[in-house]
Amino acid sequence: MRKYKCIVCGYVYDPAEGDEDSGIAPGTAFEDIPEDWVCPLCGVGKEDFEPED
């Protein structure tokens, strides 16, 4: 599973870690996160994330 980086603040969503503060369990692919999820650091939506190479 790929990591995704917020283009606004640089936060990296790592599927291996999830985002437990937002109820996203470890092992959850970025594509499987609900559409209303927002960056835990700056609050932008999924549309402002891009895959990390």
Side-chain angles (χ1 to χ4, degrees):
M1 288 186 282
R2 296 179 79 174
K3 295 180 182 180
Y4 280 75
K5 184 175 185 176
C6 177
I7 60 173
V8 176
C9 73
Y11 169 81
V12 176
Y13 174 78
D14 182 348
E17 296 177 10
D19 179 13
E20 294 204 43
D21 291 340
S22 297
I24 309 298
T28 303
F30 187 79
E31 295 81 2
D32 295 333
I33 296 173
E35 290 303 314
D36 62 352
W37 177 83
V38 295
C39 177
L41 296 186
C42 71
V44 298
K46 286 178 69 176
E47 66 276 2
D48 290 316
F49 279 74
E50 59 187 21
E52 267 203 324
D53 292 328

